[in-house]
Amino acid sequence: MLIETLKTLLNRDLNKLKFEIESYEFEKQIWAVENDISNSAGNLCLHLVGNLNTYIGAEIGKTGYIRDRPLEFSLKDISKSELIQKIENTIAVVNNALDKLTEGDLNSIYPQIVFEKEMTTGFFLVHLSTHLAYHLGQINYHRRLLDR
């Protein structure tokens, strides 16, 4: 049951991420920073894609994805269409990986130490879903404040 819940939430929020990026009227504003807003929507999008491709794709789905986290925050001016393609690819990766999981897998220890201590796979997947939702809210606010 938790696997289906996670798939539903991750798909909902990744599709909402796609909607947010598509909704920028002025493409250059995806990369805008202003005053105390230090991360652009584009960089947050790249961060979310990198995060999910690392912890769900590479670790659970065995995709071979190699993360370059600093690049997620230093790349600029990637086109809206390329960001959308990255999101769509991530949706497929997440679904394929989660389809391989069993309820028993959720109770096993996640293979990587991420927060300096062991945690179950289920706990970490819930964390990844809330992490996505947190940054999705930032992107929505960024768009409404700076897309002018």
Side-chain angles (χ1 to χ4, degrees):
M1 181 177 139
L2 179 57
I3 294 169
E4 287 307 311
T5 299
L6 286 164
K7 280 181 66 174
T8 298
L9 293 173
L10 288 165
N11 276 277
R12 178 197 69 187
D13 290 348
L14 282 166
N15 278 298
K16 182 65 173 162
L17 174 61
K18 181 178 158 185
F19 171 81
E20 288 294 339
I21 297 299
E22 288 171 334
S23 294
Y24 276 83
E25 185 176 349
F26 303 102
E27 189 165 339
K28 68 180 173 73
Q29 292 305 101
I30 293 171
W31 300 97
V33 292
E34 189 175 290
N35 299 326
D36 291 333
I37 299 172
S38 58
N39 289 316
S40 70
N43 289 118
L44 289 172
C45 179
L46 292 173
H47 171 62
L48 290 167
V49 164
N51 182 270
L52 294 171
N53 274 286
T54 298
Y55 295 121
I56 296 178
E59 194 61 57
I60 295 170
K62 306 300 180 204
T63 61
Y65 181 84
I66 306 292
R67 187 177 194 183
D68 187 345
R69 192 174 187 281
L71 206 56
E72 296 167 11
F73 293 98
S74 64
L75 280 176
K76 305 291 179 210
D77 300 323
I78 294 171
S79 71
K80 182 191 291 193
S81 62
E82 188 175 344
L83 289 174
I84 291 166
Q85 186 62 55
K86 287 178 182 294
I87 297 166
E88 289 173 348
N89 293 345
T90 301
I91 291 169
V93 164
V94 165
N95 285 321
N96 289 335
L98 294 181
D99 284 343
K100 296 176 182 180
L101 282 181
T102 67
E103 291 293 328
D105 293 331
L106 297 176
N107 294 318
S108 66
I109 299 300
Y110 186 76
Q112 292 186 41
I113 300 293
V114 181
F115 301 124
E116 299 178 10
K117 66 178 186 168
E118 289 185 343
M119 69 191 97
T120 65
T121 297
F123 178 90
F124 189 54
L125 289 172
V126 170
H127 163 77
L128 292 174
S129 179
T130 61
H131 176 259
L132 169 58
Y134 174 78
H135 287 311
L136 177 58
Q138 290 178 314
I139 291 168
N140 171 268
Y141 209 62
H142 179 278
R143 179 181 58 77
R144 291 183 293 123
L145 279 174
L146 300 182
D147 191 29
R148 46 187 140 93

